[in-house]
Amino acid sequence: MDGAYDLDTMMGYLGDFGRYQMWQFTLHILSAVTAGLHMLSLVTVAAIPEHRCEIPDVDVNHTMTQLNDTELALYIPTSPMGGFDSCSLLNITTNDSYKCDIWVYDDTYYKTSRAIEWSFVCDNRWMGAVAQSIYMFGVFTGAVTLGNMADKFGRKPIFVWSAVLQLVIGVAVAFTPDYYSFLALRYLYGIFGSAGSYITGFVLTMELVGPSKRSMCGVAFQAAFACGIMLVAGWGALIKDRQLLQIIYGLHSAVLIGHFWLMDESPRWLWANGRAREAVEIVKKALKMNRSPISLETAEFVSKGTAESRTKTEDSAGVLDLFKTPNLRIKTLNVCLNWFANSLVYYGLSLNTGQLSGDPYLILFVMGLVELPSYVLTVYLMDRMGRRSLTALNMILGGICCITAANLVMGSTESTAFVVVGKFLIASSFAIIYNYSAELFPTVVRNSALGIGAMCARTSGALTPLITLLDSFDPKLPSIIFAVIALISGFLTLFLPETLNKPMPQTIQDGEEFGKGDTFFTSWRKKKTPDVEEPVTAKSPTSEQMQPLGVTR
């Protein structure tokens, strides 16, 4: 060993993706599966089946009696949108309509659910919406608070405690007896179920694998999340009792409990926080697992790490440090808009798919499945096109698809095709932004940066249903809003620096200096401008001329 005994030297000995990284990555990615499962659990546990008002003396024991349209017309009024009104009955004497307070449900697919128990229908539809929104607000809270805590106290403690709590709360929520205690547990469920372990696990992977494998590993997290969605559908189709179903969902988090003994802390975080000796010991273990012939001397690195940690101390605050310096502040705001826009357009396009007929479990399964080809293509293109160009292209084209679909007949083959293509593109850019954020921001605030990004995504996810209400003014207005935000964010992404094959910044100062002057337009101009040879002179080179060309830190 020779040269500087620093972190990048030490991590470089590991290689990009050896046996050790593969083992740790396998442990980390399990958190993505459980996060996807918990996020969509309410789709089945609180599903709202086809329903209508209970018809006295016709529906017996609160069970829906199957009637044809002619028979239903005697008891059920027609809604202004066409079809039968699911919230009203006809007075057979006066032929006047009135609202009912008891409903019957089609039990073809759902035997029990929270929506059936608490009547999340008609004037009570807000109850189901609030239950999902409170979960998203929990994810919002967890993304900010747990992200900051992971930067201060370590990735592993936050991961493990989140795993324990999502297991406990995921099972406990199945036994809540009333609506408001259900909301309270749903809020906590969101904090730990889809924020704590997932974001922390992602950061752990990004800080461990080499630059050439970050794309593959990062996108694999999104694919694992989609697999969690498919698990929701699979278990829902098999288990019809909503309480047992929620217990099964919650018990999936048990696969994360063993991580307390099996998973290691991030060597980068340990090094950045003055715990160089522990970082070296983990790398030594990793080298042994990777069957590397290199042997590290702990003392040679510990003094270097201690010196670097003193320099870093003033940079170790948290979320606010992302906004203190100009370059880092601009990147943070740009990335936050990117997260916000991706989530907004993703859910906006999902709403444009309309009501699909058929088995709801099969539809949910397919909706998770269709994301996988997008991620495969993303992995292939990320290391060829770079993060910046591919993200911007996906968002701009996704916005165009969104606005095009809005101007076509809803439900037509053409409209559906544009919606599907748009969702394919946005799923890709959504996957990239996780990698991009992890590579743009320094180690000391990386978890906080991902947390604030996820917070912006959850905010837009909660706003999407409210924006869709604007269709009462103009049916095209929601899609236009989604498209415009996507187009603006896609264009602004071109001003972010490229991170492909660049070393990850460590300190706040590294993050401030990283990518200064590097935009799509400056890079494109450099590619278009041919190199001009300088005339040879006999003068001695200056110190500036002796600096290596093309190196950006």
Side-chain angles (χ1 to χ4, degrees), residues 414-486:
E414 295 81 4
S415 176
T416 301
F418 275 103
V419 169
V420 171
V421 173
K423 191 172 183 182
F424 182 94
L425 293 166
I426 292 299
S428 173
S429 62
F430 215 162
I432 298 169
I433 194 60
Y434 277 86
N435 279 64
Y436 205 3
S437 298
E439 295 170 347
L440 273 174
F441 296 103
T443 299
V444 291
V445 288
R446 184 168 296 123
N447 224 102
S448 295
L450 278 170
I452 200 171
M455 176 195 72
C456 293
R458 299 292 79 78
T459 301
S460 62
L463 287 176
T464 301
L466 301 179
I467 294 175
T468 58
L469 296 178
L470 297 175
D471 62 3
S472 59
F473 299 100
D474 184 341
K476 299 178 183 178
L477 188 56
S479 294
I480 292 173
I481 293 174
F482 299 148
V484 168
I485 293 176

Side-chain angles (χ1 to χ4, degrees), residues 283-347:
V283 173
K284 287 169 69 174
K285 182 179 79 171
L287 288 170
K288 184 177 180 180
M289 184 176 289
N290 286 351
R291 299 178 181 176
S292 171
I294 296 173
S295 177
L296 299 183
E297 294 297 331
T298 303
E300 293 174 338
F301 284 89
V302 168
S303 60
K304 177 72 176 180
T306 302
E308 289 187 1
S309 70
R310 292 193 193 103
T311 303
K312 165 259 160 203
T313 300
E314 59 190 31
D315 299 326
S316 64
V319 173
L320 293 180
D321 288 83
L322 294 168
F323 301 93
K324 286 182 178 179
T325 53
N327 186 37
L328 196 54
R329 178 168 58 248
I330 290 172
K331 286 188 292 187
T332 301
L333 293 173
N334 198 334
V335 169
C336 283
L337 177 61
N338 201 303
W339 281 84
F340 183 93
N342 269 288
S343 178
L344 190 74
V345 179
Y346 180 87
Y347 290 113

Side-chain angles (χ1 to χ4, degrees), residues 155-166:
R155 284 52 166 134
K156 182 177 178 179
I158 302 304
F159 185 105
V160 173
W161 278 109
S162 294
V164 172
L165 290 171
Q166 68 177 256

